[in-house]
Amino acid sequence: MTIISSERTAATVVDTAVAMGADYLLDRLHCAEPTALDWERTLDCGTMRVRIRVEVEPTGLTGEQVAAETVAGDENELLEVRAAARLVLAGGPGREAALEVLARSGPWPF
């Protein structure tokens, strides 16, 4: 049985909204083309005013580097695969061979 509390505090409502918004943004923006932007909105809620500000800044990583970082940090991956991912992340000689190892290892976007 689900019990829905009628007690709503500003903190619980904002925490829930931020968590939902963060999940949505992560889902929709994951590895998207990096674009810097600022967004601001003020909501008048009668007894309180809520100001929301979002700042978006590029990390400097490519989608390939982000995927390589994820694979390199996955303890369930084979050591060879993790080493290949670290090589892709760092760049340099052997990158093409490392990409081939990653392409054979699983559903990675390489």
Side-chain angles (χ1 to χ4, degrees):
M1 173 199 287
T2 302
I3 299 174
I4 299 174
S5 171
S6 61
E7 183 180 343
R8 285 187 289 177
T9 65
T12 59
V13 171
V14 170
D15 284 347
T16 301
V18 168
M20 291 171 64
D23 285 345
Y24 179 79
L25 289 171
L26 181 60
D27 183 49
R28 301 293 296 174
L29 291 177
H30 182 68
C31 288
E33 184 68 31
T35 304
L37 72 96
D38 288 331
W39 181 87
E40 201 170 326
R41 184 160 180 195
T42 301
L43 308 170
D44 187 346
C45 301
T47 58
M48 69 189 84
R49 193 169 292 112
V50 178
R51 289 188 183 91
I52 302 168
R53 179 170 172 75
V54 177
E55 296 177 18
V56 179
E57 59 188 47
T59 62
L61 297 174
T62 65
E64 186 177 79
Q65 288 172 317
V66 172
E69 188 174 54
T70 301
V71 174
D74 186 347
E75 295 178 3
N76 295 315
E77 282 296 336
L78 298 172
L79 291 177
E80 175 190 24
V81 173
R82 293 178 70 194
R86 285 193 295 276
L87 191 89
V88 169
L89 188 57
R95 183 180 168 281
E96 293 303 319
L99 285 171
E100 288 176 21
V101 169
L102 290 169
R104 289 191 312 264
S105 71
W108 310 115
F110 298 104

